[in-house]
Amino acid sequence: QKEVEQDPGPLSVPEGAIVSLNCTYSNSAFQYFMWYRQYSRKGPELLMYTYSSGNKEDGRFTAQVDKSSKYISLFIRDSQPSDSATYLCALGGSNYKLTFGKGTLLTVNP
Amino acid sequence: KAGVTQTPRYLIKTRGQQVTLSCSPISGHRSVSWYQQTPGQGLQFLFEYFSETQRNKGNFPGRFSGRQFSNSRSEMNVSTLELGDSALYLCASNIGGGSIYEQYFGPGTRLTVT
């Protein structure tokens, strides 16, 4: 079983839709949870960072962590064509190392 | 504040050669991490440095090495290049304090091995 599983998609939605992106993990040692957005031919850009169970909101983005189920989610409200990118979940423990999901390719159609 | 910079941006090498990639972190950041990104394996951790000390290393062969200088700039070296080393190599920096995983990535160096 891989440490982090992420549905690769691709995911295609109309503009204005609510998008749900998810990752599951198997290692209880993960304490830090991040979401990155990566546009084609660019480096990943940090979107959300949290270290506790529950929800964290930032504008149109909400990150949700459920440590008991080992499940993390990113919700995008009122999705825009500019949100079209690959979204990567990343998890960290106490060893200064980030473990990434494979990424979900999202396309938001105008 | 300037972001993470990586040089060169693109590189073509021949199998058996060696290569050195450079990373300059965000000013004031003391932690630098390196990752390899390929379509098949995704982003994989190579190593992390803080104050010139390697704190962790990923599961890569010894051909992959790195170092960090006193000004926090970092280099990674790959010796005896193989075709499978073709990838996007990403550097990320972190302030090195409390939020150890608030990492900011550079644009990457795209290495092609022929």
Side-chain angles (χ1 to χ4, degrees), chain B residues 42-62:
Chain B
L43 267 152
Q44 292 188 288
F45 172 78
L46 280 158
F47 22 67
E48 190 266 356
Y49 289 90
F50 176 77
S51 292
E52 303 178 69
T53 299
Q54 185 183 89
R55 295 195 291 190
N56 198 356
K57 186 178 191 307
N59 294 325
F60 280 82

